[in-house]
Amino acid sequence: MTPTSKRGPGRRSVATLISGALAAGGLAAAGVSALEPQAASASSHREAPLISGTPQYDNTDVYAFVSPDKPDSTTIVANWIPFEEPAGGPNFFPFAEDAQYDIHIDNNGDAKGDLLFRYTFKTHVKNKKTFLYNTGAVESLDDPDLNVTQTYDLELIKLRKGYEVAKTKVASDVPVAPSNVGKASMPDYKKLRDQAIYKLHNGTQTFAGQADDPFFLDLRVFDLLYGGNLSEVGNDTLKGYNVNSIALQIPTQLITESMHQPIVGIWSTTQRQNARGEYKQVSRLGNPLVNEVVNPIKDKDKFNASEPKDDGQFLKNVTNPELPKLIEAIYKIKAPAEPRNDLVDVFLKGVKGLNQPPYVTPSEQLRLNTSIKPSASPKRLGVLDGDNAGFPNGRRLTDDVIDASLQVVEGELLGTKNDLGDAVDKNDKDFEKYFPYVALPTEGSRGPVAKGAGGNDVRSQLGDALTPAGEGNTTLIAASAGAGAAGVLLIGTGLMWWRRRNRAY
């Protein structure tokens, strides 16, 4: 694929607005394309029947990029637990204790893992006699008022041809950044996040905790492709929701095969412990939205339990994708001819001359050429707009993967130039300039002050009812007590009547 210069962000034709519709299917189709038996993998937000009911184990997105402020290192961000409502207490959003959260590296292109970074979590409760997540304002991760905390261990597992040959625990009992309960509970959340960044001796950094969901797109695609009339588009459906992030920044030389072979394939998985104590894979993700839109319902759970080396079993779902046919039927935009062999190189092998490993085995992974230096001015369409440091060469947080994938899926590589997109071109929050880069999570106390509240104290709404005994006017308290007594009297009278009525039978 030859990088081409694309037009600017002013895209608002009908075809343009069909964005998300093609978007989801676009990159999905792209994710599992025509290839010999070996290709396909990735999940997303609530994309399969089983995993949608167990969000703690549900991968949402994977990002991989050369660190902009440390170009000799590579940063990987993997997210879990979709659609975290910030005010979702009292338990909020811990990582699961019976799970293994894994980040896989294939550094020779054979569709088998060579390195595996494994995160496992433990939950700690200081006081089980309260329902509170925190019992006061939290100033630090070891604050006694932070009632529920988590820690994790990080292991590095080395593999050969997919089999474990060595295991090293590289970090133990590392604190997790908590869910952002609200401004009263966590007045300086950034301080808590900074304390959760753990540095190893070799320059590696690791982080686990809550973050703003960095994926931006319009998900109304599932309402019959934007309702069949494009009446509502351009809405960032994930705005205001959080996820649980695991971020890892590691010296690039530690994950590549050699300086002559700098291309790595990356994906994440979740293993859940069953009743026999065995860990079984229940979720998997490389490129975004593949399992969400390409695979039919009958294949989705199987897909989540599969490995890249076995991706060929889902071949037909990609070579003859459903979504372009639906778009053609509803919006009369002609679907590209099948089979979709044009998608194989970009999404299953990598772009030749950019991020395709030598002797590559086609499989669905997020492929990154770590020798490409970060762009000083990243372009949201990445390689399609001439920015080779962006998607599909890895995935940066700012990359508009929906628009880029849409354009490829609808024939960009076949000579059908288009500017399709979902009219959502950036995240609602700015990303950080330093590790872990993801934006701070939205706090549970978000939203306007309640109507009638003149300040920060709820006393302004309840008036003298909250005035301590002996202070101020007690009329309201007396009235409340009187009303309460009357209520008790009415209840008692009602019970007496009910008993007398029952004796009549």
Side-chain angles (χ1 to χ4, degrees):
M1 167 175 141
T2 302
T4 58
S5 176
K6 303 295 292 182
R7 294 178 288 283
R11 310 162 288 95
R12 290 297 181 272
S13 65
V14 171
T16 299
L17 294 179
I18 296 181
S19 73
L22 294 172
L27 80 81
V32 204
S33 195
L35 67 161
E36 46 273 21
Q38 288 183 344
S41 130
S43 59
S44 193
H45 298 61
R46 293 177 51 80
E47 88 296 339
L50 288 179
I51 203 64
S52 66
T54 52
Q56 279 185 302
Y57 313 91
D58 190 0
N59 308 70
T60 65
D61 288 282
V62 173
Y63 302 82
F65 49 90
V66 177
S67 309
D69 57 321
K70 286 187 174 182
D72 60 344
S73 70
T74 296
T75 295
I76 301 168
V77 177
N79 295 331
W80 280 265
I81 312 183
F83 296 104
E84 291 184 3
E85 162 57 47
N91 296 304
F92 293 96
F93 304 99
F95 288 95
E97 293 184 89
D98 61 344
Q100 296 170 334
Y101 296 90
D102 291 350
I103 295 173
H104 302 256
I105 308 289
D106 171 13
N107 61 22
N108 57 18
D110 67 353
K112 299 175 183 177
D114 298 292
L115 297 172
L116 188 157
F117 295 91
R118 172 163 291 163
Y119 289 75
T120 53
F121 294 84
K122 294 179 182 178
T123 302
H124 313 275
V125 181
K126 296 183 178 72
N127 179 8
K128 294 185 178 181
K129 294 182 179 181
T130 177
F131 66 86
L132 293 169
Y133 186 80
N134 58 289
T135 54
V138 177
E139 304 291 343
S140 65
L141 293 184
D142 59 0
D143 194 312
D145 284 325
L146 184 55
N147 190 42
V148 181
T149 63
Q150 285 198 302
T151 57
Y152 66 90
D153 293 344
L154 172 58
E155 295 175 302
L156 170 59
I157 300 172
K158 295 184 178 180
L159 307 105
R160 184 174 296 117
K161 297 188 181 300
Y163 294 96
E164 180 180 323
V165 295
K167 180 189 292 187
T168 305
K169 183 175 286 189
V170 297
S172 300
D173 299 322
V174 182
V176 175
S179 295
N180 192 354
V181 175
K183 295 175 182 177
S185 293
M186 298 170 182
D188 188 354
Y189 188 85
K190 187 178 186 306
K191 178 181 177 182
L192 302 180
R193 163 180 282 187
D194 291 345
Q195 292 175 358
I197 297 173
Y198 184 81
K199 298 182 179 181
L200 281 68
H201 67 279
N202 61 1
T204 296
Q205 297 187 85
T206 177
F207 166 84
Q210 194 177 52
D212 170 72
D213 192 334
F215 195 15
F216 50 93
L217 80 166
D218 192 329
L219 271 174
R220 196 178 176 230
V221 58
F222 296 114
D223 182 12
L224 293 182
L225 304 186
Y226 289 111
N229 59 15
L230 300 176
S231 61
E232 295 181 22
V233 293
N235 175 52
D236 184 358
T237 315
L238 297 177
K239 178 180 179 180
Y241 288 107
N242 299 323
V243 289
N244 276 18
S245 288
I246 288 175
L248 181 67
Q249 186 177 79
I250 191 165
T252 298
Q253 63 176 353
L254 298 181
I255 61 173
T256 55
E257 183 182 45
S258 69
M259 62 180 297
H260 303 294
Q261 206 306 85
I263 299 169
V264 294
I266 297 167
W267 71 96
S268 66
T269 61
T270 314
Q271 286 70 238
R272 185 179 185 181
Q273 194 173 30
N274 63 23
R276 294 189 295 271
E278 303 166 335
Y279 285 92
K280 298 294 183 181
Q281 182 177 308
V282 296
S283 186
R284 168 184 171 211
L285 192 133
N287 280 294
L289 290 171
V290 173
N291 200 23
E292 193 162 38
V293 179
V294 171
N295 287 325
I297 293 174
K298 69 181 181 66
D299 286 341
K300 291 181 180 294
D301 294 326
K302 182 192 301 182
F303 188 81
N304 266 340
S306 66
E307 299 180 50
K309 67 182 180 63
D310 299 320
D311 282 345
Q313 63 185 308
F314 307 108
L315 176 60
K316 284 187 177 181
N317 299 341
V318 180
T319 56
N320 302 89
E322 177 184 7
L323 188 59
K325 298 183 183 73
L326 294 176
I327 292 170
E328 180 174 355
I330 295 174
Y331 295 114
K332 311 307 178 186
I333 298 177
K334 187 173 179 57
E338 297 173 347
R340 297 301 309 277
N341 295 320
D342 59 305
L343 302 176
V344 178
D345 284 347
V346 175
F347 294 98
L348 299 171
K349 295 181 180 178
V351 179
K352 194 168 185 179
L354 177 61
N355 66 336
Q356 183 178 122
Y359 315 111
V360 63
T361 298
S363 61
E364 204 293 294
Q365 304 177 29
L366 190 62
R367 300 188 190 276
L368 174 67
N369 186 336
T370 60
S371 69
I372 303 295
K373 298 303 179 185
S375 173
S377 301
K379 297 180 179 180
R380 67 181 182 84
L381 293 179
V383 175
L384 278 182
D385 203 6
D387 181 0
N388 287 347
F391 185 78
N393 180 31
R395 181 184 178 186
R396 299 169 300 197
L397 295 170
T398 56
D399 286 338
D400 192 343
V401 298
I402 291 294
D403 287 15
S405 297
L406 256 181
Q407 292 173 21
V408 171
V409 168
E410 286 302 299
E412 182 77 22
L413 304 182
L414 299 172
T416 305
K417 302 297 181 182
N418 65 85
D419 286 323
L420 291 173
D422 65 350
V424 179
D425 297 342
K426 64 178 182 178
N427 192 47
D428 61 298
K429 285 190 171 187
D430 292 333
F431 298 114
E432 302 289 332
K433 297 183 183 301
Y434 307 100
F435 183 83
Y437 305 107
V438 287
L440 293 172
T442 299
E443 69 276 357
S445 59
R446 64 179 176 170
V449 176
K451 184 178 180 180
N456 294 326
D457 195 338
V458 74
R459 193 185 303 272
S460 62
Q461 291 186 72
L462 300 185
D464 293 333
L466 291 183
T467 302
E471 294 183 18
N473 192 335
T474 60
T475 303
L476 181 58
I477 297 177
S480 297
V488 171
L489 180 61
L490 285 172
I491 292 171
T493 303
L495 286 173
M496 289 173 63
W497 171 85
W498 180 82
R499 288 173 180 163
R500 284 197 298 268
R501 186 170 183 270
N502 269 358
R503 281 199 294 269
Y505 294 92

